[in-house]
Amino acid sequence: LGKDQVYTKKMYFYQSSQVKDAKKKFRLRLFALPSSENMGKEMAYLLGTSLNCIDVGSFTDGETSVKIDDAVRGKEIYVV
């Protein structure tokens, strides 16, 4: 892959549109659930940021457990 390109399953290439404003970049939190982790990584790459940590599991009764390992108060949150 080139510096400003991301390869997708349909073989399209996109120019990078990174978040240039440091204040916005500081407020941005991007999380990807297990089924969309690859797409989340590509989105993080395009935005010039990292994918934030999230743990997904299940409780003993079968309900889904989601634990966010980052501070999110006052942040802009995006879940993929």
Side-chain angles (χ1 to χ4, degrees), residues 5 10 12 15-17 20 28 32 34 37-38 43 45-46 57-59 61 63 65-69 78-80:
Q5 298 174 341
K10 292 189 177 190
Y12 292 109
Q15 280 287 14
S16 177
S17 58
K20 307 239 187 268
L28 175 72
E37 192 169 358
N38 288 335
M43 290 172 65
Y45 176 79
L46 284 171
S58 60
F59 292 110
D61 65 354
E63 294 290 324
S65 166
V66 177
K67 181 180 178 189
I68 297 173
D69 295 330
Y78 299 92
V79 179
V80 181

Side-chain angles (χ1 to χ4, degrees), residues 2-62:
K3 179 181 169 193
D4 295 331
Q5 298 174 341
V6 172
Y7 178 79
T8 66
K9 288 183 180 181
K10 292 189 177 190
M11 302 175 83
Y12 292 109
F13 289 88
Y14 295 96
Q15 280 287 14
S16 177
S17 58
Q18 296 185 358
V19 178
K20 307 239 187 268
D21 185 2
K23 198 178 232 185
K24 285 183 183 177
K25 196 173 195 178
F26 176 74
R27 292 184 60 214
L28 175 72
R29 295 293 182 264
L30 180 62
F31 299 95
L33 297 175
S35 62
S36 58
E37 192 169 358
N38 288 335
M39 185 169 78
K41 287 178 183 177
E42 288 182 357
M43 290 172 65
Y45 176 79
L46 284 171
L47 293 170
T49 187
S50 60
L51 197 57
N52 296 92
C53 190
I54 188 170
D55 291 324
V56 179
S58 60
F59 292 110
T60 55
D61 65 354

